[in-house]
Amino acid sequence: MISLYLSHSSWLHRWPAGIKLGLLAGCSMMILPVVRLDLMIALLLATGLLYTTLGDRGWRHLEMLRPLLPFLAVIMLFHLWAASLYEGSVSVLRLVIMFLLANLITLTTRMSDMMAALQPVFRPFQWLGLSARSLALAVALMVRFAPVLVMVMNNLDEAWRARGGRKHKWRLIVPLIIQAIRLSDHVAEALTARGGSSGITVRPQKNQEITNNEQR
Amino acid sequence: MNKDKTLVQIALYAALIAALGLLPKFNIPVAGGVPLTAQTLGLMLAGVMLGPVRGFLAVALFILVVALGAPLLAGGRGGLGVFAGPTVGFIIGFPFAALVTGLMMQMLKKTSLFVGVFIASVVGGILVLYAFGIPGMVAMTSLTFAGASKAILVFIPGDLIKALIAALIAQSVARAMPGIIPSR
Amino acid sequence: MAWFARKQKNYIPHEEAPLHPEQSEHICIEQVDLQRAGDPFFQQISLRWNEKRVGLIGNNGSGKSTLVRLLNGLMMPEQGRVSVFGYDTVKQAALMPALVGFIFQNPDHQMIFPTVAEELAFGCEQLGQTTQEARASALALLREQGIESWADRPVTQLSEGQKQRVCILAVLIMKPRLLILDEPFSSLDLPTRRLLLQLIHNSDTHVLLISHDLSVYDEFDRLIWMEKGQIRADGTPDEVISRYIDAVNSSVND
């Protein structure tokens, strides 16, 4: 499924999600004020080491940094222009370390465990009338239907190309939105038919057949 | 509207934003080749199509699922890492961008749909988003405020084009399904 | 729904007696009026049955889907009364999901969870089981069906027939007393149709099946043919099907 979670097990997988999140917050707080380059390099090496302990595929996940590279380059350039190479390097390394540590949690924690650990964060929303159950249902629905909409998109794209469409692909967003709206009507109906987001509060009598026989 | 329908709409719109981000084909090459994804287009349209509250909730749900570990941000990013990255301000700003876009749509009831969506998208999807994004960059990168602002100026032309495209899309959808846009 | 496994508290739905006990063995549609797009569509339509296997046929737009939606409270009659085993679909709408199971045409529209086990467990949670109990019930049903390995499969990876099978199981696990299927086979091949039909026949619930494939009604007790919001014919499958085919042939030859 669409998740970064590594399905094989490592020592970090076995730690409770709440503790991992707490440690992450603590580490980030400690790293933020560090301004020494030698310390940063040491921390980076330590983080890299943590990745290798995830098993033989551990290192491979450092490539998640790639989408971050343009940003890091821009940040470096601005520091070179406004300050110095030293400050730029510290800044970039700090970002890389914090990013890698945070993703380490994501790699080793199941989405459902993360959800459970984040529950206190959602409490304010519950006062607004959004129940934990609705939220869990919404997350499940989204995870379920994201690939469906990608498939719809691919089908639209194929149909569009079959008719010679090449340019202005953003136009496909229009039928995609329309299909998503229609889909949401159907799904809502199906959800209601199965008792809806608030669950079933009343059920028919179980022993009805027996009562009928007695009446006869 | 009934609760199930609202819930499903929010979840499916969040899924739609994810789908838009998973498709690299939608990169719009402008502004010196900076690839722009359709994902921020999805934010602007969330406020337009769902209104401020449901738009906010749809985008917030999307961000939550990203935080839970789904690599659904444009370019396949996701997980807690993005919240420790330089773009964290933008990500936190996403739902508020949708919220303000939706509010602007309600305020711009009298304009034509096209103009309304364009203005609402510029205010919500650009001004508000950058108001969150730039301080986020400053906090995470020790850049100065002016430096961070300059660094992201390059995205403005592309974002303006996206606001324009959002207006075109909203117009087409409204034509195909009259009455579907809540503020009209 | 494993997301809030630890703290979610489920409550057991309380039982309620039928509002119309005199009809507790029948499914009754009594003198129902319903508008569609502002025009009267159903006018004083009435139907009553207690056969286990009932089919519903008719051309597109004849009112089949509307009629079945009256039976689980998805649509409400403007006039008249609908009751399922004595339970009023309007006044007792809250218990319809536990009483009437509904299968839609497109499985992609009704599977609401990412994996097969979660999809099946949802119905059990709706009925008050805890997350763990619900998962156990789901796994037990999959085992009984010989498809235990499907449990953690993403539903997007299933074939159309497999998806529809999961949908039917996800509804049957709630033990509804009436199972309504609205063109469930339209995108399936013949072997898959047979398999699912077998699954339906093996369940001991009452069944109401809409299908354009007339061969599925072989072992049915009763068949109803609708046209333009009215009952055109009602009887054994053999006689209704032959009348329907005659009518289709004569209208095509005109």
Coordinates of all heavy atoms in Angstrom, one line a residue, chain B residues 51-96:
Chain B
G51 N -16.1 24.4 0.0 CA -16.4 25.4 1.0 C -15.3 25.4 2.0 O -14.5 24.5 2.1
P52 N -15.3 26.5 2.9 CA -14.2 26.7 3.8 C -14.0 25.5 4.8 O -12.9 25.0 5.0 CB -14.5 28.0 4.5 CG -15.9 28.2 4.3 CD -16.3 27.6 3.0
V53 N -15.1 25.1 5.5 CA -14.9 24.1 6.6 C -14.5 22.7 6.1 O -13.5 22.1 6.5 CB -16.2 24.1 7.5 CG1 -16.0 23.0 8.6 CG2 -16.5 25.4 8.1
R54 N -15.4 22.2 5.1 CA -15.1 20.9 4.6 C -13.8 20.9 3.8 O -13.0 19.9 3.8 CB -16.2 20.4 3.7 CG -17.4 19.9 4.6 CD -18.6 19.5 3.7 NE -19.1 20.6 3.0 CZ -19.7 20.5 1.8 NH1 -19.7 19.4 1.2 NH2 -20.2 21.6 1.2
G55 N -13.5 22.0 3.2 CA -12.2 22.2 2.4 C -11.0 22.1 3.4 O -10.1 21.3 3.1
F56 N -11.1 22.8 4.5 CA -10.1 22.7 5.5 C -9.9 21.3 6.0 O -8.8 20.8 6.1 CB -10.5 23.7 6.7 CG -9.5 23.6 7.9 CD1 -8.4 24.5 7.9 CD2 -9.7 22.7 8.9 CE1 -7.5 24.4 9.0 CE2 -8.8 22.7 10.0 CZ -7.8 23.5 10.0
L57 N -11.0 20.7 6.4 CA -11.0 19.3 6.9 C -10.4 18.3 5.9 O -9.6 17.4 6.3 CB -12.3 18.9 7.4 CG -12.9 19.6 8.6 CD1 -14.3 19.2 8.9 CD2 -12.0 19.3 9.8
A58 N -10.7 18.5 4.6 CA -10.2 17.6 3.6 C -8.7 17.7 3.5 O -8.0 16.7 3.5 CB -10.9 17.8 2.3
V59 N -8.2 18.9 3.5 CA -6.8 19.1 3.3 C -6.1 18.7 4.6 O -5.0 18.1 4.6 CB -6.4 20.6 3.0 CG1 -4.9 20.7 2.8 CG2 -7.2 20.9 1.7
A60 N -6.7 19.0 5.8 CA -6.1 18.6 7.1 C -6.0 17.0 7.1 O -5.0 16.5 7.6 CB -6.9 19.1 8.2
L61 N -7.0 16.4 6.6 CA -7.0 14.9 6.6 C -5.8 14.4 5.7 O -5.1 13.5 6.1 CB -8.3 14.4 6.1 CG -8.4 12.9 5.8 CD1 -8.2 12.1 7.1 CD2 -9.7 12.5 5.2
F62 N -5.7 15.1 4.6 CA -4.6 14.7 3.7 C -3.2 14.8 4.4 O -2.4 13.9 4.3 CB -4.7 15.6 2.4 CG -3.4 15.5 1.6 CD1 -3.2 14.4 0.8 CD2 -2.5 16.6 1.5 CE1 -2.1 14.4 0.0 CE2 -1.4 16.5 0.7 CZ -1.2 15.4 0.0
I63 N -3.0 16.0 5.1 CA -1.8 16.2 5.8 C -1.6 15.2 6.9 O -0.5 14.7 7.1 CB -1.8 17.6 6.4 CG1 -1.9 18.7 5.4 CG2 -0.5 17.9 7.3 CD1 -0.8 18.6 4.3
L64 N -2.7 14.8 7.6 CA -2.6 13.8 8.6 C -2.1 12.5 8.1 O -1.2 11.8 8.6 CB -3.9 13.6 9.3 CG -4.1 12.4 10.2 CD1 -3.2 12.6 11.5 CD2 -5.5 12.2 10.6
V65 N -2.6 12.1 7.0 CA -2.3 10.8 6.4 C -0.8 10.8 5.9 O -0.1 9.8 6.0 CB -3.2 10.3 5.3 CG1 -2.8 9.1 4.6 CG2 -4.6 10.1 5.9
V66 N -0.4 12.0 5.4 CA 1.0 12.2 5.1 C 1.9 12.0 6.3 O 2.9 11.2 6.3 CB 1.3 13.5 4.4 CG1 2.8 13.8 4.4 CG2 0.7 13.6 3.0
A67 N 1.5 12.6 7.4 CA 2.2 12.5 8.7 C 2.3 11.0 9.2 O 3.3 10.6 9.7 CB 1.6 13.4 9.7
L68 N 1.2 10.3 8.9 CA 1.2 8.9 9.3 C 2.1 8.0 8.5 O 2.3 6.8 8.9 CB -0.2 8.3 9.2 CG -1.3 8.9 10.1 CD1 -2.7 8.3 9.8 CD2 -0.9 8.7 11.6
G69 N 2.6 8.5 7.4 CA 3.6 7.8 6.7 C 3.3 7.5 5.2 O 4.0 6.7 4.6
A70 N 2.3 8.1 4.7 CA 2.0 7.9 3.3 C 2.7 8.9 2.4 O 2.6 10.1 2.7 CB 0.5 8.0 3.0
P71 N 3.5 8.4 1.4 CA 4.3 9.4 0.6 C 3.4 10.0 -0.4 O 3.6 9.8 -1.6 CB 5.4 8.5 0.0 CG 4.7 7.1 -0.1 CD 3.7 7.0 1.0
L72 N 2.5 10.9 0.0 CA 1.5 11.4 -0.9 C 1.8 12.8 -1.4 O 1.1 13.4 -2.2 CB 0.1 11.3 -0.3 CG -0.4 9.9 0.0 CD1 -1.7 9.9 0.7 CD2 -0.5 9.1 -1.3
L73 N 2.8 13.5 -0.7 CA 3.1 14.8 -1.2 C 3.7 14.8 -2.6 O 4.4 13.8 -2.9 CB 4.0 15.5 -0.2 CG 3.5 16.0 1.1 CD1 4.6 16.6 2.0 CD2 2.4 17.1 0.8
A74 N 3.5 15.8 -3.4 CA 4.1 15.8 -4.7 C 5.6 15.4 -4.7 O 6.3 15.8 -3.8 CB 3.9 17.2 -5.3
G75 N 5.9 14.5 -5.6 CA 7.3 14.0 -5.6 C 7.5 12.8 -4.7 O 8.7 12.4 -4.5
G76 N 6.4 12.3 -4.2 CA 6.6 11.1 -3.4 C 7.1 11.3 -2.0 O 7.6 10.4 -1.4
R77 N 7.0 12.5 -1.5 CA 7.4 12.8 -0.1 C 6.3 12.5 0.9 O 5.2 12.5 0.6 CB 7.9 14.2 0.0 CG 9.1 14.6 -0.8 CD 9.4 16.0 -0.7 NE 8.4 16.8 -1.2 CZ 8.0 18.0 -0.6 NH1 8.6 18.4 0.4 NH2 7.0 18.7 -1.1
G78 N 6.7 12.1 2.1 CA 5.8 11.8 3.1 C 6.5 11.4 4.4 O 7.7 11.4 4.5
G79 N 5.7 11.1 5.4 CA 6.2 10.7 6.6 C 6.5 11.9 7.5 O 6.3 13.0 7.1
L80 N 7.0 11.6 8.7 CA 7.3 12.7 9.6 C 8.5 13.6 9.1 O 8.6 14.7 9.5 CB 7.7 12.1 11.0 CG 6.5 11.5 11.7 CD1 7.0 10.8 13.0 CD2 5.4 12.5 12.1
G81 N 9.3 13.1 8.2 CA 10.4 13.8 7.7 C 10.0 15.2 7.2 O 10.7 16.2 7.4
V82 N 8.9 15.2 6.4 CA 8.6 16.5 5.8 C 8.2 17.5 6.8 O 8.3 18.7 6.5 CB 7.4 16.3 4.8 CG1 7.8 15.4 3.7 CG2 6.2 15.8 5.5
F83 N 7.9 17.1 8.1 CA 7.6 18.1 9.1 C 8.9 18.6 9.8 O 8.8 19.5 10.6 CB 6.6 17.5 10.1 CG 5.3 17.3 9.5 CD1 5.0 16.1 8.9 CD2 4.3 18.2 9.6 CE1 3.7 15.9 8.3 CE2 3.1 18.0 9.0 CZ 2.8 16.9 8.3
A84 N 10.0 18.0 9.4 CA 11.3 18.5 9.9 C 12.0 19.1 8.8 O 13.2 19.3 8.8 CB 12.0 17.3 10.5
G85 N 11.4 19.3 7.6 CA 12.1 19.9 6.5 C 11.8 21.4 6.3 O 11.0 21.9 7.0
P86 N 12.4 22.0 5.3 CA 12.3 23.4 5.1 C 10.9 23.8 4.6 O 10.5 25.0 4.8 CB 13.3 23.7 4.0 CG 13.6 22.4 3.4 CD 13.4 21.4 4.4
T87 N 10.1 22.9 4.1 CA 8.8 23.2 3.6 C 7.7 23.0 4.6 O 6.5 23.1 4.2 CB 8.5 22.4 2.3 OG1 8.7 21.0 2.6 CG2 9.4 22.8 1.2
V88 N 8.1 22.7 5.8 CA 7.0 22.4 6.9 C 6.0 23.5 7.0 O 4.8 23.2 7.1 CB 7.7 22.1 8.2 CG1 8.5 23.3 8.7 CG2 6.6 21.8 9.3
G89 N 6.4 24.8 6.8 CA 5.4 25.9 6.9 C 4.4 25.8 5.8 O 3.2 26.0 6.1
F90 N 4.8 25.4 4.6 CA 3.8 25.3 3.5 C 2.8 24.2 3.9 O 1.6 24.3 3.6 CB 4.5 25.0 2.2 CG 5.3 26.1 1.7 CD1 6.6 26.3 2.0 CD2 4.7 27.1 0.9 CE1 7.3 27.4 1.5 CE2 5.4 28.2 0.4 CZ 6.7 28.3 0.7
I91 N 3.3 23.1 4.4 CA 2.5 21.9 4.6 C 1.5 22.2 5.7 O 0.3 21.9 5.6 CB 3.3 20.7 5.0 CG1 4.2 20.3 3.8 CG2 2.5 19.5 5.5 CD1 5.4 19.5 4.1
I92 N 1.9 22.9 6.8 CA 1.0 23.3 7.8 C 0.0 24.4 7.3 O -1.2 24.4 7.7 CB 1.7 23.8 9.0 CG1 2.5 22.7 9.7 CG2 0.8 24.5 10.1 CD1 3.5 23.1 10.8
G93 N 0.5 25.2 6.3 CA -0.4 26.2 5.7 C -1.4 25.6 4.8 O -2.4 26.3 4.5
F94 N -1.2 24.4 4.3 CA -2.1 23.8 3.3 C -3.6 24.0 3.7 O -4.4 24.5 2.9 CB -1.8 22.4 3.0 CG -0.7 22.1 2.0 CD1 0.0 23.2 1.4 CD2 -0.3 20.8 1.7 CE1 1.0 22.9 0.5 CE2 0.7 20.6 0.8 CZ 1.3 21.6 0.2
P95 N -4.0 23.4 4.9 CA -5.4 23.5 5.2 C -5.9 24.9 5.3 O -7.1 25.2 4.9 CB -5.5 22.8 6.6 CG -4.2 22.2 6.8 CD -3.2 22.7 5.9
F96 N -5.1 25.8 5.8 CA -5.5 27.2 6.0 C -5.7 27.9 4.6 O -6.5 28.7 4.4 CB -4.5 28.0 6.9 CG -4.5 27.4 8.3 CD1 -3.6 26.4 8.6 CD2 -5.5 27.8 9.2 CE1 -3.6 25.9 9.9 CE2 -5.5 27.2 10.5 CZ -4.6 26.3 10.8

